Amino acid sequence: LAKTTQPISMDSYEGQEVNITCSHNNIATNDYITWYQQFPSQGPRFIIQGYKTKVTNEVASLFIPADRKSSTLSLPRVSLSDTAVYYCLVQDSGAGSYQLTFGKGTKLSVIP
Amino acid sequence: DSGVTQTPKHLITATGQRVTLRCSPRSGDLSVYWYQQSLDQGLQFLIQYYNGEERAKGNILERFSAQQFPDLHSELNLSSLELGDSALYFCASSRGAKNIQYFGAGTRLSVL
């Protein structure tokens, strides 16, 4: 089964660009990579989704190399309100089973 | 507001009891997912339903069960509750092939 690996935590100063990388070595051909943001005691919120290359929306960019074994979420010019846990999700259809594997998440702390 | 409604918001019960958590998905979403999140832990996928049928199963205990009704709302039943079942339980819904999930605010279960 595919498994995602992310850094447990990251610190950044306000106004800096933050890049969080997720490793997913066993990603299947048809899987999408999706990132979510979660604040304490709230449900996760969709940020961005991609299949390959680069995707950009109004809040983030997602970079996916050709082999798709990793992905990088890029948050431009973070603010204090970006302090949250960020999850990478790959819809895992390996080994004949269908699993939804969230990583343990990356706790981003933005420092003033 | 994600459009996903979970009730109740809080639930306090005793060990050995049984509870039912309810989820109303976004209008038009056919898939419903259930997750468990213990204190400072990541999201553990429990089970997914699609249009009334079980679609995927994660690390759901035998004491737990779920169903999705014809009106697409879903219920998660937790029985023979143990202290370790205390957690936030999230429901999410999605539509389409990319399965972007929209999460509810969660039900906080406290087993005393």
Side-chain angles (χ1 to χ4, degrees), chain A residues 22-98:
Chain A
C22 178
S23 169
H24 28 78
N25 290 323
N26 296 332
I27 187 170
T29 302
N30 296 328
D31 287 344
Y32 283 85
I33 299 153
T34 313
W35 285 79
Y36 294 84
Q37 175 193 56
Q38 186 181 27
F39 298 111
S41 298
Q42 294 185 26
R45 184 175 71 99
F46 168 77
I47 302 175
I48 196 166
Q49 184 183 69
Y51 182 79
K52 62 180 179 181
T53 63
K54 177 183 175 182
V55 179
T56 298
N57 62 21
E58 63 276 7
V59 298
S61 295
L62 180 59
F63 299 91
I64 305 170
D67 67 5
R68 303 198 332 121
K69 293 187 176 182
S70 67
S71 59
T72 299
L73 173 72
S74 180
L75 304 172
R77 297 179 300 281
V78 294
S79 64
L80 295 177
S81 63
D82 293 317
T83 294
V85 177
Y86 292 83
Y87 291 98
C88 164
L89 173 64
V90 173
Q91 293 184 201
D92 173 11
S93 59
S97 65
Y98 185 84

Side-chain angles (χ1 to χ4, degrees), chain B:
Chain B
D1 183 6
S2 68
V4 178
T5 303
Q6 288 188 249
T7 56
K9 287 187 173 16
H10 303 278
L11 201 48
I12 302 174
T13 189
T15 55
Q17 296 298 305
R18 172 189 170 96
V19 297
T20 297
L21 313 184
R22 182 187 169 100
C23 171
S24 294
R26 292 188 320 158
S27 177
D29 286 0
L30 298 180
S31 279
V32 170
Y33 312 75
W34 286 98
Y35 293 86
Q36 179 193 57
Q37 187 171 41
S38 301
L39 190 63
D40 293 332
Q41 296 295 311
L43 285 157
Q44 299 295 320
F45 168 65
L46 296 178
I47 198 163
Q48 177 199 2
Y49 278 83
Y50 177 82
N51 202 21
E53 300 290 328
E54 183 183 304
R55 176 81 184 272
K57 210 167 196 177
N59 300 321
I60 187 166
L61 300 173
E62 286 191 10
R63 300 184 285 109
F64 296 0
S65 65
Q67 55 184 329
Q68 185 179 29
F69 295 87
D71 67 353
L72 301 178
H73 91 272
S74 178
E75 293 181 355
L76 178 66
N77 301 297
L78 314 176
S79 61
S80 303
L81 285 168
E82 301 175 359
L83 296 178
D85 297 327
S86 295
L88 266 169
Y89 290 84
F90 289 107
C91 166
S93 71
S94 74
R95 70 182 70 162
K98 294 182 180 180
N99 285 322
I100 294 172
Q101 296 176 59
Y102 293 87
F103 285 77
T107 293
R108 183 176 296 279
L109 173 65
S110 298
V111 182
L112 305 178

Side-chain angles (χ1 to χ4, degrees), chain A residues 60 65 97 101 106:
Chain A
S97 65
T101 309
T106 298

